[in-house]
Amino acid sequence: MSLYNDPIGHWVVVTVAIALLLFVVLTATAYTVWFERVALGRIQRRPGPNRVGPFGLLQLAADGIKLAFKESFVPAETDKLLFVIAPTIAVAAAFLSWAVIPIGLWYNVQYWIADVNIGVLLIFAFSSLNVYAIVIGGYASNNKYSLLGGLRSAAQLISYEMALGLSLVPTFMIVGSLRLRDIVEYTVHWGWYNGPIPLILLTPIGFVIYLMAAVAETNRAPFDLPEAEQELIGGFLTEYSGLKFVMFYLAEYINMITVSALAALLFFGGWYLWVIPPVIAFFIKIVLFLFLYIWLRGTFPRLRYDMLMRLGWKVLLPLAIANVIVTGIVLVATQG
Amino acid sequence: MAIAIFFIAAAMAVAGAVGVVSFREPIRSVLSLVVVMLALAILFLLLSAQFVFVVQIIVYAGAVMVLFLFVIALFGPSRELARTRLRFQSWLSGLFVLALLGLIWAMLQGVQYRQPDKGVDLSVFGTVQAIAVGLFTTYLYPFELTSILLLVAAIGAIYLSRKRIDDL
Amino acid sequence: MADEKSSQPEHPTPLRGPREGVPAKPEGKHPGVAADVAALAGGLKTTLSEFFRPVVTTMYPEDKTVRSERYRGRHYLRRYDNGLERCIGCELCAAACPVGCILVIAAENSDENRVSPGERYAKTYEINMLRCIFCGYCEDACPVQAIVLGPEYELSDTSREKFIYTKEKLLEPMPPDVEARLRASAAHPSPLPDGERGTPK
């Protein structure tokens, strides 16, 4: 495409892509919340939101307006700057990941912002900044529950980041690249079959570890200890209300979509799905992963903190390391 | 473009460094240090060192500084104000800064700017693959020795901080 | 001595000292990883099957659940067939009310201004519906069956003043099923002693 090579055209394309992606991700987040409430309701045999708009689809608009008009509360005797910065970091870190997530390749047009060499590493780098939002939010709330929730969450994120990163290493070893596009377009030549395959066929254990670690990374049930209501009220969210709460909430759901998209890209062939158009195929895969998330939330009770840490350090991390070593041995044996 | 990004990142780094020493609240100092780390990461990226850029963020901003933050958060939001006022130290530090700047200026006088070496492909330089090849072939022994050193340090830290059953 | 012995707490699990360490786990077959995974899968299967079953929620403002025949909602003041009010201003309802939400101010009947058949009538009769707990003691206490509880339960309004139901509002014509309710209530024994509650004719 000549448009990409022209310096000014390149910037125009990137700017338009950023604006579009911002809009799409925000809308997707709103409907993820709607989808979660409806699906969770159905699991409990409730209808979920069904009053505002057809099928309750405008519920999020109503909630958003309500939250936007709430008082912007800041607790007394706190560092007000930090209190405001925390949700900003959360949203910024969540959005930044989408700069490198490839959505699809259709008629030689790429539906993403940047196709970088170190895509997956960048996503890890941005998601590691999310810890700051939670710890600072907990610290600046001047509330013991917030502080405990923030510290718990930080410990949880650090613990599971290792397993998450290591669970993907076999994939990188097989593909030989960190560029997300290369991973999606990884092709095999098995007898009569030439073409892209879902990499879960080659790294099933990596996928299982990724799935668990990703749920923990996004602070979702059953690993939602930072917001364990019974023990910590709302965790680091306790003192947040109005638009600042919306920002944390938004970040949580963007992260949820991000890890779903990563799972689709890294293990399920990204935008390749039979004859379905690429962007729609990618969308279908993300929705299925989101449903899995909601399904898990509707099924499993929350883990105890020591169980969480034991699972992360004593089960997932050794398993991930073993997976890396075994994959390395197999790769050396088969490819020489 | 690159020049503009360089000056923005450099200004961020300097402002963050000033913030580290001038903020009274320790948590703000830590966050200023994070800003320095991120600005340095951007500078690494401008030197086409992609891997160092990402590692700078993941390791320093994502892990090391979080531990600092942990310690300060565990102390609680009490104001860690200095008990005694600094008297002559500020003058002394100004003197040292001036001396250091003069030293740097003197060093820069002798620097010859030149193009990168011939034969270095800048599209490959600094990528994950290039660094991995370097680490696991040419510099394998130093790399492994460093990892052993880190392992020893980690075990030592665990040993020193463990709680003895007898003390309970 | 017996008291002292019984005040000792009984520990269901034996206490252990700081140096004894964690006791060995009781013998028995620990379920393996496969069994654990099967249990998790079982849970997921259950929730997924619930997902596809019909919703059981009653869509309230449109659909309403069946109300009991003896349901006690807002109050009404009754009249005799000749148009006279039943209430004789005796204030027994106000005395019986556990939350004190009824205010009755009585006045004398005269030949020119006859409101009720008795000597006196209620000049003011107000019920604070925000306080009312719908216990029905006022109805039980009334010797002339003047105050009864009707079937309505959707009493929401926009100001606190509107919840003080005045005599005019309470004298509004009753829905027809109040009579049916009175008969149904009469068929059940009253919690109050005999004679303190009238029965409908």
Side-chain angles (χ1 to χ4, degrees), chain A residues 247-264:
Chain A
M247 287 169 84
F248 268 123
Y249 202 65
L250 190 69
E252 181 186 330
Y253 279 84
I254 294 172
N255 284 334
M256 195 171 139
I257 302 175
T258 308
V259 292
S260 300
L262 261 191

Side-chain angles (χ1 to χ4, degrees), chain A residues 18 21-22 25-26 84-101 113 122-134 243-244 246-255 258, chain B residues 38 57:
Chain A
I18 288 171
L21 197 77
L22 200 67
V25 172
L26 270 177
V84 176
I85 278 180
T88 319
I89 296 174
V91 172
F95 267 121
L96 274 174
S97 299
W98 278 88
V100 293
I101 289 182
I113 295 174
L122 265 184
I123 290 174
F124 282 140
F126 295 141
S127 71
S128 70
L129 295 182
N130 201 22
V131 185
Y132 286 101
I134 292 165
L243 277 177
K244 290 194 273 293
V246 171
M247 287 169 84
F248 268 123
Y249 202 65
L250 190 69
E252 181 186 330
Y253 279 84
I254 294 172
N255 284 334
T258 308
Chain B
L38 293 179
I57 295 180

Side-chain angles (χ1 to χ4, degrees), chain A:
Chain A
M1 293 290 286
S2 60
L3 194 61
Y4 289 112
N5 298 330
D6 180 51
I8 295 168
H10 178 78
W11 280 105
V12 170
V13 166
V14 167
T15 313
V16 170
I18 288 171
L20 257 179
L21 197 77
L22 200 67
F23 176 75
V24 169
V25 172
L26 270 177
T27 316
T29 311
Y31 285 102
T32 307
V33 179
W34 173 84
F35 180 52
E36 167 159 43
R37 291 179 62 179
V38 168
L40 211 55
R42 292 303 303 251
I43 284 175
Q44 296 160 1
R45 301 189 68 186
R46 296 181 286 112
N50 61 354
R51 292 282 156 184
V52 191
F55 304 106
L57 279 169
L58 297 176
Q59 179 69 43
L60 263 296
D63 285 352
I65 291 167
K66 174 222 162 196
L67 283 165
F69 282 99
K70 281 185 86 164
E71 182 193 353
S72 188
F73 173 78
V74 178
E77 305 262 326
T78 58
D79 200 328
K80 292 188 175 48
L81 179 70
L82 295 183
F83 191 76
V84 176
I85 278 180
T88 319
I89 296 174
V91 172
F95 267 121
L96 274 174
S97 299
W98 278 88
V100 293
I101 289 182
I103 291 163
L105 200 65
W106 202 359
Y107 295 115
N108 274 334
V109 177
Q110 59 174 44
Y111 290 82
W112 65 92
I113 295 174
D115 183 15
V116 293
N117 216 346
I118 43 171
V120 187
L121 280 183
L122 265 184
I123 290 174
F124 282 140
F126 295 141
S127 71
S128 70
L129 295 182
N130 201 22
V131 185
Y132 286 101
I134 292 165
V135 177
I136 295 171
Y139 176 87
S141 293
N142 200 11
N143 174 327
K144 59 188 169 191
Y145 298 111
S146 298
L147 185 64
L148 286 174
L151 290 180
R152 253 193 195 189
S153 170
Q156 177 178 333
L157 288 185
I158 294 170
S159 307
Y160 278 82
E161 225 162 55
M162 316 255 282
L164 189 75
L166 282 172
S167 74
L168 300 180
V169 170
T171 312
F172 308 147
M173 287 161 76
I174 292 166
V175 179
S177 171
L178 291 167
R179 193 193 292 265
L180 281 160
R181 181 177 167 177
D182 293 346
I183 294 169
V184 173
E185 292 183 334
Y186 178 71
T187 50
V188 290
H189 310 285
W190 288 346
W192 54 269
Y193 183 78
N194 278 311
I197 55 152
L199 278 163
I200 187 178
L201 297 178
L202 301 175
T203 56
I205 298 170
F207 173 68
V208 172
I209 299 168
Y210 174 83
L211 199 64
M212 286 198 250
V215 176
E217 271 291 292
T218 46
N219 290 336
R220 296 273 311 172
F223 300 110
D224 55 345
L225 283 107
E227 306 162 34
E229 296 90 357
Q230 292 89 339
E231 309 145 45
L232 291 174
I233 312 181
F236 61 93
L237 290 172
T238 306
E239 299 287 353
Y240 281 95
S241 62
L243 277 177
K244 290 194 273 293
F245 174 79
V246 171
M247 287 169 84
F248 268 123
Y249 202 65
L250 190 69
E252 181 186 330
Y253 279 84
I254 294 172
N255 284 334
M256 195 171 139
I257 302 175
T258 308
V259 292
S260 300
L262 261 191
L265 289 169
L266 294 169
F267 295 103
F268 286 89
W271 55 84
Y272 292 109
L273 183 65
W274 195 36
V275 293
I276 296 168
V279 179
I280 296 167
F282 189 61
F283 176 75
I284 290 170
K285 287 176 186 179
I286 290 181
V287 169
L288 285 176
F289 268 103
L290 289 176
F291 179 73
L292 181 68
Y293 262 75
I294 298 160
W295 190 14
L296 289 174
R297 182 177 168 187
T299 307
F300 297 127
R302 184 179 302 127
L303 266 74
R304 219 169 53 211
Y305 189 64
D306 62 320
M307 290 173 165
L308 178 92
M309 284 295 158
R310 203 166 58 213
L311 180 69
W313 288 102
K314 291 190 174 174
V315 180
L316 292 187
L317 191 61
L319 199 62
I321 293 173
N323 193 23
V324 171
I325 293 170
V326 170
T327 310
I329 291 170
V330 171
L331 277 180
V332 170
T334 53
Q335 297 174 355

